[in-house]
């Protein structure tokens, strides 16, 4: 069964790269450029997994994760953080906000898919 | 900081006591900014290394793209071979086009309808079947080869793209951050009536003009943000070199704490 994924990142290149990786694994992919845009998208669509950056304008990834977890529809949806931030403090903040996992950029497509498959299983 | 400067400008001609207080405020800001610049200069010193890594990376990218071009050429050859194979059948040892094959089939069918049975026609029919089977096998092999070439191309593209993710952004941000802080330093020194031509003179200002005490709490916070141990040490060395401190323990940093402060990230993926 086709799964739906949402990628949230202010970088057009990053959105494309993750989309290509997920589409190769037969995901249907939608994209948003920041937290505010993402909330608009999730209001109209369901997703099996959400992958988000942290440092974005208008609304950052941490804030987005918190809001998604308050939304009954996405309370248990796997949310992976894909970011350049690698420090323990930031990871802890993400975990407390409700992130399912943390991937540090630059990412290897195989590594990303391995993580996606694990959390979507 | 601009507010402090504005206050100072407004009160240029005010009572000496007020000017002294304002000068101390600006000095305090200066101390904070100096710590910032130290941290940023440490990061900036990494830029040559970063450039070197970028160059290596560009070479790797270039290699990946060359491989990609080679794969594309191979793939083009594979597609041509498949196309040619699809057009030519070997019947009874002779290359036969699909159109010629159709003509033979129609003749065989017509003979069969008119009950014109012959050993020659049987042999022809068997030869054609053999040719079709051989063609199918040949096409399968060539298509499989083309598929492998496609996989190789995808791998080469991925390899190239992974390497292009963020180096330029990092480099630019470091340079911008360093320049902004340098500007703040010049701005503040101008505000307290000191003209410094270049940052090399700041040591003279600090040591011979009453000194600007390092904001130790802020310096310690800067160290905590430099999560790599190597950068923490460089920051400490920088502070000592510019005579802000003579020993790391003056800002509460020591080798025992070093391990605790080193929060170097090693894992690419962590699932919570």
């Amino acid at each position: 069964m086709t799964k739906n994924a949402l990628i949230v990142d202010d970088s057009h290149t990053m959105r494309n790269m993750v989309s290509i990786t997920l589409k190769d694994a037969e995901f249907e992919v939608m994209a948003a450029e920041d937290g505010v845009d993402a909330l608009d998208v999730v209001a109209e669509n369901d997703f099996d997994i959400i992958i988000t950056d942290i440092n974005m304008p208008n609304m950052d990834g941490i804030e987005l994760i918190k809001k998604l977890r308050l939304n009954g529809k996405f309370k248990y949806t796997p949310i992976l953080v894909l970011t350049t931030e690698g420090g323990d403090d930031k990871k802890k903040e993400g975990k407390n906000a409700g992130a399912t996992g943390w991937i540090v950029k630059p990412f290897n497509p195989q590594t990303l898919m391995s993580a996606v498959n694990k959390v979507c299983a | 900081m601009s507010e402090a400067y504005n206050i100072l400008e407004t009160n240029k001609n005010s009572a000496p006591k007020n000017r002294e207080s304002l000068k101390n405020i600006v000095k305090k800001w200066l101390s904070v900014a100096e710590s910032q610049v130290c941290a940023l200069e440490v990061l900036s010193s990494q830029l040559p290394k970063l450039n070197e890594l970028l160059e290596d990376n560009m070479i790797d990218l270039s290699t990946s793209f060359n491989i990609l071009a080679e794969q594309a050429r191979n793939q083009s050859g594979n597609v041509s071979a498949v196309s040619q194979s699809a057009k030519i059948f070997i019947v009874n040892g002779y290359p036969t086009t699909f159109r010629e094959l159709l003509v033979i089939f129609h003749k065989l069918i017509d003979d069969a309808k008119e009950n014109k049975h012959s050993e020659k026609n049987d042999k022809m029919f068997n030869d054609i079947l053999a040719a079709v089977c051989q063609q199918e096998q040949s096409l399968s092999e060539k298509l499989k080869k083309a598929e492998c070439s496609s996989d190789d191309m995808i791998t080469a593209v991925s390899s190239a793209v992974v390497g292009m993710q963020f180096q330029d952004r990092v480099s630019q941000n470091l340079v911008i951050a360093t320049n902004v802080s340098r500007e703040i330093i010049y701005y503040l020194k101008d505000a307290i009536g000191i003209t410094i031509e270049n940052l090399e003179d700041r040591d003279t200002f600090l040591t011979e003009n009453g000194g600007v005490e390092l904001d130790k709490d802020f310096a310690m916070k800067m160290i905590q943000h430099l999560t790599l141990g190597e950068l923490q040490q460089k920051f400490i060395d920088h502070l000592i070199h510019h005579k802000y401190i003579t020993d790391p323990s003056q800002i509460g940093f020591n080798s025992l704490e070093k391990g605790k402060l080193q929060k170097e990230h090693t894992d690419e993926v962590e699932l919570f």
Side-chain angles (χ1 to χ4, degrees):
Chain A
M1 195 171 87
T2 305
K3 291 191 176 171
N4 297 316
L6 173 65
I7 167 69
V8 189
D9 200 304
D10 58 334
S11 163
H12 176 75
T13 304
M14 196 54 62
R15 292 198 299 271
N16 271 351
M17 282 174 53
V18 177
S19 289
I20 288 167
T21 303
L22 291 174
K23 281 176 182 173
D24 273 349
E26 298 178 353
F27 275 81
E28 289 287 338
V29 184
M30 292 187 75
E33 55 186 29
D34 57 43
V36 171
D37 192 21
L39 289 177
D40 288 340
V41 173
V42 301
E44 305 289 329
N45 299 279
D46 291 332
F47 296 100
D48 299 290
I49 182 167
I50 297 171
I51 299 172
T52 179
D53 188 13
I54 292 293
N55 296 316
M56 298 181 290
N58 301 321
M59 185 189 294
D60 69 19
I62 300 290
E63 193 59 33
L64 171 63
I65 293 170
K66 286 177 184 171
K67 289 198 184 304
L68 287 171
R69 289 308 188 208
L70 289 174
N71 183 332
K73 206 163 63 157
F74 299 102
K75 194 174 179 185
Y76 302 110
T77 303
I79 303 177
L80 290 179
V81 171
L82 180 60
T83 176
T84 52
E85 303 269 1
D88 283 351
D89 288 346
K90 210 64 183 181
K91 262 197 232 178
K92 195 175 171 185
E93 202 182 341
K95 187 179 176 183
N96 291 340
T100 312
W102 197 275
I103 304 172
V104 179
K105 294 175 189 173
F107 70 93
N108 180 288
Q110 285 82 11
T111 304
L112 173 64
M113 279 320 304
S114 173
V116 166
N117 288 334
K118 271 188 195 159
V119 299
C120 283
Chain B
M1 284 187 193
S2 61
E3 194 177 329
Y5 179 79
N6 289 338
I7 292 170
L8 196 61
E9 275 293 302
T10 307
N11 292 276
K12 256 183 185 171
N13 300 316
S14 66
K17 192 179 174 185
N18 284 345
R19 277 189 55 77
E20 202 53 43
S21 299
L22 289 168
K23 209 181 253 191
N24 288 335
I25 290 170
V26 175
K27 278 187 180 181
K28 168 73 175 175
W29 279 114
L30 188 60
S31 161
V32 169
E34 285 286 1
S35 294
Q36 267 186 315
V37 167
C38 279
L40 286 167
E41 282 176 349
V42 164
L43 292 173
S44 298
S45 69
Q46 299 299 302
L47 280 176
K49 188 178 174 187
L50 184 65
N51 283 336
E52 192 186 317
L53 289 172
L54 277 172
E55 281 179 22
D56 288 342
N57 197 256
M58 287 310 294
I59 290 169
D60 289 342
L61 282 171
S62 178
T63 304
S64 289
F65 276 118
N66 282 336
I67 292 171
L68 186 60
E70 183 64 30
Q71 294 294 346
R73 277 193 289 274
N74 290 342
Q75 187 69 314
S76 178
N78 289 332
V79 170
S80 289
V82 169
S83 176
Q84 287 301 317
S85 290
K87 288 178 191 170
I88 303 294
F89 293 79
I90 304 296
V91 179
N92 208 18
Y94 295 100
T96 308
T97 65
F98 187 68
R99 187 177 289 278
E100 287 166 351
L101 202 63
L102 271 179
V103 168
I104 297 170
F105 262 126
H106 280 304
K107 189 179 182 312
L108 285 172
I109 290 167
D110 287 342
D111 285 348
K113 280 180 186 175
E114 292 170 8
N115 290 318
K116 288 181 186 173
H117 176 77
S118 71
E119 278 186 15
K120 187 182 171 187
N121 281 0
D122 282 343
K123 187 176 183 310
M124 181 64 75
F125 194 76
N126 287 333
D127 285 340
I128 288 169
L129 273 176
V132 169
C133 288
Q134 189 185 7
Q135 176 74 304
E136 194 270 338
Q137 190 180 355
S138 173
L139 275 174
S140 292
E141 285 168 1
K142 286 181 168 59
L143 281 170
K144 198 171 179 183
K145 200 175 170 187
E147 193 181 352
C148 287
S149 285
S150 287
D151 287 340
D152 290 336
M153 281 170 66
I154 289 168
T155 302
V157 169
S158 295
S159 173
V161 170
V162 164
M164 290 164 68
Q165 289 187 31
F166 71 98
Q167 310 95 336
D168 188 55
R169 223 169 167 183
V170 170
S171 179
Q172 281 181 18
N173 284 338
L174 278 174
V175 170
I176 289 168
T178 304
N179 288 340
V180 166
S181 282
R182 283 180 190 276
E183 209 169 307
I184 291 169
I185 294 282
Y186 291 138
Y187 198 61
L188 287 169
K189 286 178 176 172
D190 184 54
I192 55 175
I194 302 292
T195 302
I196 305 287
E197 291 302 320
N198 59 61
L199 278 179
E200 294 306 313
D201 293 339
R202 71 173 185 254
D203 291 347
T204 305
F205 163 69
L206 291 171
T207 56
E208 295 182 10
N209 290 281
V212 174
E213 201 175 312
L214 182 74
D215 186 309
K216 294 185 174 56
D217 289 336
F218 192 80
M220 195 58 188
K221 277 181 191 168
M222 292 303 296
I223 289 180
Q224 285 174 347
H225 283 300
L226 295 171
T227 54
L228 287 176
E230 183 188 337
L231 290 180
Q232 288 172 345
Q233 190 57 54
K234 282 183 184 293
F235 181 66
I236 293 292
D237 292 342
H238 204 89
L239 293 179
I240 292 173
H241 174 71
H242 288 288
K243 302 185 182 75
Y244 294 113
I245 58 173
T246 54
D247 188 86
S249 61
Q250 288 175 307
I251 56 168
F253 179 82
N254 56 51
S255 58
L256 290 174
E257 289 291 315
K258 200 172 172 182
K260 188 179 164 187
L261 286 169
Q262 254 176 336
K263 294 176 183 175
E264 187 173 342
H265 168 75
T266 53
D267 294 331
E268 195 180 36
V269 178
E270 186 176 342
L271 298 180
F272 300 135

